Amino acid sequence: MISRNLFKGNLVSMIASIFILYLLILLDIYGINYAFSRIVQIIMWIIWILSFPSYLSYNSSLLEKRKILEYLAPIAIIITLIGLIFLALGKFIGIELIVFGYIFEPIAGISIFLTLKKISVLFSSLFFYGAIIFTAGLPLFLFNLGIISIIGDIIKMVGLSYFIYKFK
């Protein structure tokens, strides 16, 4: 059975994924330099703030291989914070650091995947592999292929939706 904290982590992740999807669509429409706009930076800060309740909820769950999440998620949070600061200063390295920080998301998510896999292999796989596609697609915004990241985020959301609906 899914724990209450795991449910909360999934719910916060879904909320963050909705903000991420909106952000990705904006960047796909207006280009990567739109990341320097005020609206995109506000959305990125909201997503970053959501990482705390998500991490705390997941970390207090009974996850398989919990140490993976416990150690890697804070690294991702710190790297993306530094990226957000550089982005606010108008430096492109901010975007690069944010993308680098997000590389840790699917790796840290292995703990969640292994736990949710016991409930549904299909939907845990959608969640996990969607996160991988989302992350791998981020650099592709430089080549006007942001749609790959968008598709990955949607796939991840489908997997999360199942667990949120099933265990609400």
Side-chain angles (χ1 to χ4, degrees):
M1 192 59 166
I2 196 166
S3 76
R4 195 78 194 137
N5 287 331
L6 186 55
F7 170 80
K8 289 177 188 176
N10 287 341
L11 187 59
V12 175
S13 290
M14 176 60 84
I15 294 166
S17 291
I18 292 167
F19 279 106
I20 290 168
L21 182 60
Y22 180 58
L23 172 74
L24 296 174
I25 291 169
L26 287 174
L27 293 175
D28 195 49
I29 293 169
Y30 297 111
I32 192 70
N33 285 327
Y34 197 63
F36 295 101
S37 71
R38 183 172 305 280
I39 186 68
V40 168
Q41 289 187 37
I42 289 169
I43 294 168
M44 286 187 188
W45 279 104
I46 291 169
I47 294 165
W48 184 80
I49 290 167
L50 287 170
S51 69
F52 288 97
S54 177
Y55 170 70
L56 293 172
S57 295
Y58 282 136
N59 196 42
S60 59
S61 301
L62 299 174
L63 297 177
E64 297 288 320
K65 310 286 184 191
R66 189 173 133 231
K67 295 288 184 195
I68 297 170
L69 177 94
E70 187 176 325
Y71 293 119
L72 294 182
I75 293 169
I77 291 169
I78 291 167
I79 292 171
T80 54
L81 171 63
I82 295 167
L84 285 168
I85 292 168
F86 276 110
L87 186 66
L89 296 172
K91 306 292 183 188
F92 195 82
I93 192 167
I95 295 170
E96 295 168 330
L97 286 168
I98 292 166
V99 170
F100 179 62
Y102 266 92
I103 289 172
F104 293 94
E105 179 188 355
I107 300 169
I110 290 170
S111 303
I112 302 163
F113 167 70
L114 292 173
T115 304
L116 294 177
K117 188 173 94 166
K118 294 176 181 175
I119 300 162
S120 171
V121 172
L122 172 62
F123 288 100
S124 62
S125 296
L126 289 172
F127 168 66
F128 181 67
Y129 293 111
I132 291 173
I133 294 166
F134 154 71
T135 303
L138 289 174
L140 298 178
F141 273 95
L142 294 171
F143 305 101
N144 295 320
L145 293 171
I147 190 68
I148 294 170
S149 193
I150 292 169
I151 291 168
D153 193 47
I154 292 169
I155 292 169
K156 180 176 82 171
M157 291 169 71
V158 170
L160 277 173
S161 295
Y162 171 80
F163 294 108
I164 290 168
Y165 175 76
K166 184 163 177 67
F167 299 105
K168 61 181 177 184

